[in-house]
Structures are given as structure tokens and as C-alpha cells.
Amino acid sequence: MDKFRLDGKVAWITGATYGLGFAYAAALSQAGAKVVFNARHADAIARALDEYKELGIDAYGAVCDVTDEKQVELFVADVKERFGTIDILINNAGIIKRIPMTEMSVEEWNQVINIDLTGPFICSKAVIPDMIKKGGGKIINACSMMSELGRETVSAYAAAKGGLKMLTRNICSEYGKYNIQCNGIGPGYIATPQTAPLRKRGSDGSMHPFDRFIRSKTPAQRWGTPDDLCGLAVFLSSPASDFINGQIIYIDGGILAYIGQDPSNLDESKLKTVEEDSSVQVSDR
């Protein structure tokens, strides 16, 4: 079981002030890693540090915009001076804009692409040289079911996540010979406060149409939780995954493997309920 431990490793999780990034950071810390994170605003850093402290996690956070190459280089240099080479990078920071493609401005498109795709490129580029010198490292990219599927109003997000899938494979292709593993995590639909209204029963006890739709498309017939994702994050960060490279692993309850059923056929009495984690604020990932 020692192969799953992260003792002595420095793990950088981008955008880990809340949401899945925060959950990943907490899980890696429990496995022994020193957690460092960034955000664009100092107040977000301060709030997150307080929350980490409440969990007994001695994290380090600093202001850094993942789309600004100079800021990223300075952040990596700062972390290296304080704690040593970054061993693990989780490119978690991301945004989504739900706008029909013909109504989306180029500026809005570029914002999504820059944060969701160019940011991981910049951050990975910044840590790979030291990983090579140290003899290896782990990069995990926050992919999505939208790395495989299209959906209305998320053209920029789907394009970015599709690109991130291929960036993941290309990092594997270029740097696998240096013992660097780059893989992706593709979450399905996760129960969070943001998605709670979509799972709320009507006054007559009826299911929300979107809840019924998602469950009908999911063999597990439930929404996921952050805990469903964190085990994979620790595994892909650990020596136990040293021969896994260039893979996108989807934690979606089986959605991508299943054509789905008629939503009207669901037996509501047998459906599981999932309590959302109030610290997690994400939508489709």
C-alpha cells in the first residue's frame, strides 16, 4: 500500500480554493503530499487557507493567473524555493459559459479556451523541466464528458476539453520517456449545491425532468460525489500508476458506455439519493 502514499511530494492544484480542486487537495494532503494552490484573487486565497486550516491541512496558496505565463513561472519558482520541485500538477482551474455558439462573442470564446486549455499548457510547460531533472512527475488534467460529447450552449467548453484530452496524450507522447505520466480525469454529473435545484422534488413528489434525464442516461442511476473522484486523483498522483500514461479516465457512473433508457421507465422508488458536499461548486465537468 506504500505505493499509494504521497509522502514528501509537492502537489500543485490550480484553482483549489473551492470545489473539486479543494477536494482533490484535501485528498492528496491526507495521502501525505504538501499541497500548494493558486487563485486569481487574494481574498479567495485567504478564505481557502482558513478552510484548509480547519481540516488540519498546512497548505500554501498564492495569487497566480494560470493564463499569465510570467505569473506562473514566478509561482513555480516561489514554490520550488519554499518546498522543492513540484512533483504533482493537477490542472483543475476552469470555467464554463453556457451561451449558444452564434450568440457567443470571440472574447467569451477566448476566455474559456484560455483558462480551460491554454492554462494547462502554460502550467504543464512550467513544471516539466524540473520534473525531467528530478526523474519524473505526475500531471493530471481536468477533462470532461465534453471531451467526448457535444451539448447545446457549451461550444467553447467542449472545444477546450476536447483539446485538453489531446494535450494530455501529447504530453504523454513527448515526456513519457522521462518518467512523466500525464492523465486526465473526466467527471460525470456531480451532486453539488449548484445542481441541487435540478434534483429537488416537486411539491407533488415528482422528479425534476433533468434529474430524471441524467439518471436515465446513467447505469448507476445516481449523481456522483466528490468522494467518487478523489480516489482516482490520489491513485494517478502516486507511484501505483507509474505505467498508466496518456489516459482519460471517466468517472461518470457509466454514461459514456450507455445509450440510455426511456426516462419514463425509471422506478423512482429504487433510486438512490446523494447528499451534495457544500464545499463543492461545480457544474458539468
Side-chain angles (χ1 to χ4, degrees), residues 225-260:
T225 70
D227 281 346
D228 289 323
L229 306 175
C230 288
L232 180 59
V234 171
F235 171 62
L236 292 178
S237 299
S238 76
S241 64
D242 280 355
F243 205 54
I244 297 175
N245 210 353
Q247 304 302 309
I248 315 302
I249 302 175
Y250 294 96
I251 307 181
D252 63 358
I255 290 178
L256 290 175
Y258 185 46
I259 197 171

Side-chain angles (χ1 to χ4, degrees), residues 51-94:
E51 292 176 5
Y52 282 119
K53 188 175 181 179
E54 288 179 8
L55 295 176
I57 298 172
D58 182 24
Y60 174 74
V63 173
C64 172
D65 183 341
V66 298
T67 68
D68 186 317
E69 188 170 16
K70 186 61 177 178
Q71 287 188 32
V72 168
E73 290 172 351
L74 291 173
F75 177 87
V76 170
D78 176 41
V79 170
K80 184 178 180 181
E81 183 177 352
R82 291 173 183 269
F83 309 112
T85 298
I86 292 171
D87 301 288
I88 302 158
L89 166 63
I90 299 184
N91 283 310
N92 167 77

